Amino acid sequence: MGGILVLDGDLSDVSSCLHRGYGAFLTALIGFIAFSLIVAVIMRLNRDIRADGAQGSAGRIGFYASSGLLVLMIIAGSAVFGVARNRTVLFVENDQLVERGCVKLQSYEDRFPLKDVAETYEFHRKGQIHKLRFQPSPTSRTLDVTLDSSSPLGNLAMIAPVAMGDYVTKLRELGRPIPAPLR
């Protein structure tokens, strides 16, 4: 097989890992802060409702201590998202499955011989999610591709015809239309 066959992601995505990590960190940080503000407001409202004058400075110290701990947890939790593995693109080139992305703010490229990769189709009832799972045999890693209208279904069918046949069968069982690249 010659050339490059994109299975997931975009080869033209050239954003740096530092930029992607920063974006993931900020997104997680904003989410954690929003959640924390909601929790803090609920805690404060509950405290005000229960306040009968008996609560002294110990309640305030506890509130400030838990707030400080929450801030540390927000920053640490957001940092985890910033350095986590994040795939940019999955493609086939010269009979190898290639994954490129970022981990710990550094770019990586993993290559697996295509002959050593098993492909399976999975359907998750909760959320009606269809996935194509690639399992390179010398490793325990799995590479998942969510199957939807934006996926390069024709390319995936060329690489994993049996698994994609299972996907078509499941779509028929569910009464869903078969995408044009798979007919």
Side-chain angles (χ1 to χ4, degrees), residues 3-82:
I4 293 178
L5 194 62
V6 176
L7 305 179
D8 188 33
D10 188 3
L11 280 173
S12 65
D13 185 358
V14 293
S15 58
S16 73
C17 289
L18 184 61
H19 181 259
R20 293 174 71 84
Y22 181 67
F25 172 79
L26 281 181
T27 302
L29 183 66
I30 290 168
F32 284 144
I33 288 172
F35 175 76
S36 299
L37 286 175
I38 292 168
V39 169
V41 166
I42 290 170
M43 286 173 48
R44 183 71 182 191
L45 288 174
N46 284 339
R47 190 182 80 152
D48 288 346
I49 290 170
R50 288 181 298 157
D52 57 359
Q55 187 172 14
S57 64
R60 277 186 288 235
I61 292 171
F63 179 76
Y64 292 130
S66 63
S67 297
L69 183 61
L70 192 57
V71 168
L72 290 175
M73 289 173 49
I74 288 170
I75 293 170
S78 299
V80 167
F81 284 97

Side-chain angles (χ1 to χ4, degrees), residues 41 46 70-72 77 98 104 123-124 127 132-133 153 156 164 166 177-178:
V41 166
N46 284 339
L70 192 57
V71 168
L72 290 175
V98 183
K104 298 179 186 169
F123 175 69
H124 301 273
L132 180 60
R133 174 165 282 179
L153 299 174
L156 292 165
M164 292 303 286
D166 294 342
I178 308 303

Side-chain angles (χ1 to χ4, degrees), residues 9-171:
D10 188 3
L11 280 173
S12 65
D13 185 358
V14 293
S15 58
S16 73
C17 289
L18 184 61
H19 181 259
R20 293 174 71 84
Y22 181 67
F25 172 79
L26 281 181
T27 302
L29 183 66
I30 290 168
F32 284 144
I33 288 172
F35 175 76
S36 299
L37 286 175
I38 292 168
V39 169
V41 166
I42 290 170
M43 286 173 48
R44 183 71 182 191
L45 288 174
N46 284 339
R47 190 182 80 152
D48 288 346
I49 290 170
R50 288 181 298 157
D52 57 359
Q55 187 172 14
S57 64
R60 277 186 288 235
I61 292 171
F63 179 76
Y64 292 130
S66 63
S67 297
L69 183 61
L70 192 57
V71 168
L72 290 175
M73 289 173 49
I74 288 170
I75 293 170
S78 299
V80 167
F81 284 97
V83 297
R85 181 178 288 269
N86 182 357
R87 178 173 67 213
T88 317
V89 66
L90 181 68
F91 62 95
V92 174
E93 178 182 44
N94 299 327
D95 293 326
Q96 289 191 326
L97 183 65
V98 183
E99 179 189 40
R100 284 187 189 155
C102 301
V103 64
K104 298 179 186 169
L105 305 179
Q106 299 292 317
S107 61
Y108 74 90
E109 179 176 291
D110 289 337
R111 292 180 169 267
F112 308 99
L114 203 53
K115 64 179 176 50
D116 295 337
V117 176
E119 307 91 12
T120 55
Y121 163 74
E122 293 182 359
F123 175 69
H124 301 273
R125 282 183 169 71
K126 187 175 183 179
Q128 300 273 320
I129 299 171
H130 304 270
K131 287 190 176 190
L132 180 60
R133 174 165 282 179
F134 293 97
Q135 174 87 41
S137 66
T139 69
S140 61
R141 279 195 53 212
T142 57
L143 309 169
D144 292 339
V145 176
T146 302
L147 302 173
D148 57 28
S149 59
S150 66
S151 303
L153 299 174
N155 293 354
L156 292 165
M158 289 172 53
I159 299 303
V162 174
M164 292 303 286
D166 294 342
Y167 172 55
V168 169
T169 302
K170 187 63 173 180
L171 289 176

